Amino acid sequence: MAGVFHATTARPRLPLVLACLSPTTRKLHVTRPAATTMDEASASAPGAKKTTTVFVAGSTGKTGKRVVAKLLERGFGVVAGTTDVGRARASLPQDPNLQLVRADVTEGADKLVEAVRGVDAVVCATGFRRSFDPFAPWKVDNLGTVNLVEACRKAGVTRFVLVSSILVNGAAMGQLLNPAYIVLNLFGLVLVAKLQAEKYIRGSGINYTIVRPGGLTEQPPIGNIVMEPEDTLYEGSISRDQVAEVTVEALLCPEESSYKVVEIVTRADAPSRPLKDRFASIKQK
């Protein structure tokens, strides 16, 4: 979501980095604490990867907060970007491996650099809020994502996962008259904005995974996940919980998910299959 980057008073023991705000300099500094119990467990588990730290933009959104919870559940340290720190404290898990920062992706890459410096990956789950500003979707879903990618490039962060949407390329798919494509674009051409952000990511050189979910639901998961290549799905829905699951899995299996755009919905008759295998079945373009 939107906001200006400042560190909060919370100082979690993140596995790789801690960003804390000095009251005298008002600048972000990076410290490296001793290994946590979670670090030690992950390092000692056979075949396990060391716990990494992930910055989540849009962490208090309906999908973003689920991504944060799932990351913590899977042993990641999380730096959660939010426009409202108070709301974040109330809605996000109380966890020593969670750090809250106030963030505004619309204010430019330079203000984001120190916040993402030292993390291992960034998840962008931002989305504009309905307002009287007709340019809000463009500012958040396009330019905000671009700012975040540029901040990653400047800070040396090489892994980026974007939560986008099916039908972003609806015009090229022959779906101009699809009711979902029409309705969503009524809100400031949000699908067009998301598509432009995707194009920027793909040309940036960063290691990306773009996850395009269908219609988002608040209900618990019903049915199994269907994953298809880009510009394939034009209808269907999926629980936000499952979107978070796919997003986190992309970080856990980079060999199968890197440089790919995947579209996901759920279907009652879909077979159950490991997400790693589903990612592997999608060919890079």
Side-chain angles (χ1 to χ4, degrees), residues 2 14-15 32-33 37 78 84 106 111 133 141 155 164 179-180 211 230 242 281 285:
L14 296 180
R32 296 183 181 273
T37 302
V78 179
D84 188 332
T106 68
K111 292 189 177 182
D133 182 358
D141 292 280
S164 185
V211 179
E230 61 184 295
Q242 288 166 304
S281 70
K285 284 194 175 181

Side-chain angles (χ1 to χ4, degrees), residues 144-277:
T145 303
V146 168
N147 288 337
L148 200 53
V149 172
E150 282 305 301
C152 288
R153 285 158 58 101
K154 293 179 180 182
V157 181
T158 59
R159 188 76 172 101
F160 195 96
V161 179
L162 173 69
V163 180
S164 185
S165 174
I166 64 169
L167 284 174
V168 291
N169 204 22
M173 294 171 64
Q175 294 294 318
L176 283 173
L177 298 182
N178 185 312
Y181 185 78
I182 294 171
V183 170
L184 287 171
N185 275 322
L186 287 177
F187 299 103
L189 297 176
V190 63
L191 292 180
V192 177
K194 288 179 181 293
L195 179 62
Q196 294 307 306
E198 286 190 14
K199 289 180 177 179
Y200 189 88
I201 291 169
R202 298 174 76 164
S204 69
I206 200 166
N207 182 332
Y208 67 85
T209 303
I210 297 173
V211 179
R212 294 177 177 176
L216 299 170
T217 71
E218 306 297 320
Q219 288 73 33
I222 299 176
N224 292 317
I225 294 172
V226 174
M227 183 180 291
E228 298 289 351
E230 61 184 295
D231 301 341
T232 301
L233 300 174
Y234 55 87
E235 62 182 358
S237 62
I238 186 168
S239 166
R240 292 182 189 271
D241 293 322
Q242 288 166 304
V243 175
E245 183 181 352
V246 172
T247 301
V248 174
E249 188 66 26
L251 296 172
L252 291 168
C253 60
E255 291 185 6
E256 291 77 17
S257 66
S258 292
Y259 303 103
K260 291 182 179 180
V261 180
V262 300
E263 299 186 341
I264 53 173
V265 295
T266 54
R267 292 176 184 154
D269 59 350
S272 178
R273 187 180 177 191
L275 287 174
K276 182 177 181 179
D277 292 347

Side-chain angles (χ1 to χ4, degrees), residues 2-3 104-108 112 136 139-140 143-144 147:
D104 187 343
V105 297
T106 68
E107 290 200 349
L112 303 176
K139 292 176 181 177
V140 176
L143 300 180
N147 288 337

